[in-house]
Amino acid sequence: MSDAVLRVQDLRTEFAVRGGVVKAVDGVSFEVGRGRILGLVGESGSGKSVTAYSILGLIEAPGRIAGGQVLLNGVDLTQLRGEALRQIRGAQIAMVFQDPMMTLNPVLKVSTQMVAAVKAHDKVSTAEALERAGQALVTVGIPSPQERLDAYPHQLSGGMRQRVAIAIALLHRPAVILADEPTTALDVSIQGQILAEVRRLASETGTAFVWVTHDLAVVSSLADDICVMYAGKIVEAGSADAVMAEPHHPYTAGLLASVPAEHEPGTRLQQVPGQAPSLADLGQGCAFAPRCAKASPVCNTPPPLQQLANGRSALCHHPIQWT
Ligand SMILES: Nc1ncnc2c1ncn2[C@@H]1O[C@H](COP(=O)(O)OP(=O)(O)OP(=O)(O)O)[C@@H](O)[C@H]1O
Ligand code: SF4
Ligand SMILES: [Mg+2]
């Protein structure tokens, strides 16, 4: 993809823990094009949130980025510090968290917070900032923005708070928004509405989204492309439709098999049989081997990244073949 706005290359993030190093993100690479939505999916502890935080430069001790590049329109964010990073964050790349109260301050009115968010990057009058805040609320499907602007966060429903958080992320029309399970806590119909708004926003504004989720139903209704994470690595990537129809990696196949046939958006993934590995003591071989029906002795050696048809890839010695 030549029009990638975000290109993550061989990203490595480690945490120093007692007795060793946890490689939470271990050589992750992907790219997202303008107006595209990438679903980053995997079970709990696979490194999805740490990937998002690493991209934004939000990793703190005992964690550190141990290698790789995060290229936002060609600028490597891993090389930026302090003010340089703050100027880009919120303006060119923004984040929506699972809990909107990570973004919202409980003691300030929505209007106060949104005006401050506008003024953080643009020198405009308060009146103009308020106008932009109101427009942003309309953009995310909030019909009477004035009422919401006058409210404190606790006076809003969970779905409304999350829409406000998304509106704040959108204020400066960033190139990329990272969203870490922002609809997981919401009821299914509200979630469906927000996902539809996000789809529309991506195509209308050109903002690219990286949407972190456990929920394959969310990915299938939202994402253009999908990256499946397991134990800190991307084990499968490709267009969402193709991956979901014909998974190449045994772990992806396991995830899909564990989705109930009559799944509703919001249904949590069932566990793939077996336990997620401890990231502190992974060996050289495939981390999925203890849970994999296709495992063979060669799987004790590092699996290769196999480039497959239609721009797809799988990190596996024996990818599932479809004819
Ligand atoms: N502050 C920390 N100190 C040590 N290890 C950490 C820290 N934060 C994350 N990790 C490690 O990184 C791994 C990946 O965590 P991460 O939060 O990215 O998972 P996730 O895929 O977002 O999971 P979930 O779906 O539960 O949100 C965890 O299993 C944990 O071992
Ligand atoms: S490398 Fe081997 S153990 Fe790992 S997923 Fe592929 S077949 Fe299974
Ligand atoms: Mg997470």
Side-chain angles (χ1 to χ4, degrees), residues 188 191 214-218 258-260 262-270:
V188 173
Q191 170 169 312
H214 278 84
D215 188 339
L216 283 171
V218 167
S258 64
V259 175
E262 291 289 308
H263 66 270
E264 287 280 315
T267 310
R268 301 289 286 191
L269 281 184
Q270 309 293 308

Side-chain angles (χ1 to χ4, degrees), residues 53-125:
Y53 280 56
S54 301
I55 290 169
L56 275 177
L58 296 173
I59 297 294
E60 290 174 353
R64 67 178 190 113
I65 293 185
Q69 293 186 314
V70 174
L71 298 168
L72 180 67
N73 287 320
V75 176
D76 186 0
L77 302 187
T78 67
Q79 299 304 312
L80 300 183
R81 301 281 176 275
E83 189 50 33
L85 196 53
R86 269 193 295 277
Q87 274 181 16
I88 284 183
R89 231 190 260 143
Q92 294 180 41
I93 186 164
M95 180 130 183
V96 181
F97 299 91
Q98 178 167 2
D99 179 359
M101 296 313 286
M102 294 274 289
T103 302
L104 298 174
N105 184 331
V107 302
L108 296 177
K109 279 188 177 178
V110 169
S111 56
T112 312
Q113 306 187 46
M114 292 189 77
V115 165
V118 173
K119 289 187 171 186
H121 297 286
D122 287 327
K123 305 249 165 303
V124 295
S125 68

Side-chain angles (χ1 to χ4, degrees), residues 232-294:
K233 295 185 197 297
I234 289 176
V235 296
E236 170 146 24
S239 85
D241 291 346
V243 170
M244 299 203 46
E246 298 187 336
H248 285 306
H249 195 282
Y251 174 63
T252 315
L255 282 182
L256 287 164
S258 64
V259 175
E262 291 289 308
H263 66 270
E264 287 280 315
T267 310
R268 301 289 286 191
L269 281 184
Q270 309 293 308
Q271 281 286 327
V272 174
Q275 276 213 324
S278 158
L279 298 182
D281 54 6
L282 289 176
Q284 285 294 303
C286 174
F288 189 58
R291 300 165 76 181
C292 182
K294 294 192 78 177

Side-chain angles (χ1 to χ4, degrees), residues 15 17 22 24 42-51 62 181 214 279:
F15 293 93
V17 294
V22 171
E43 65 196 351
S44 193
S46 55
K48 306 180 298 294
S49 296
V50 174
T51 299
E181 313 230 23
H214 278 84
L279 298 182

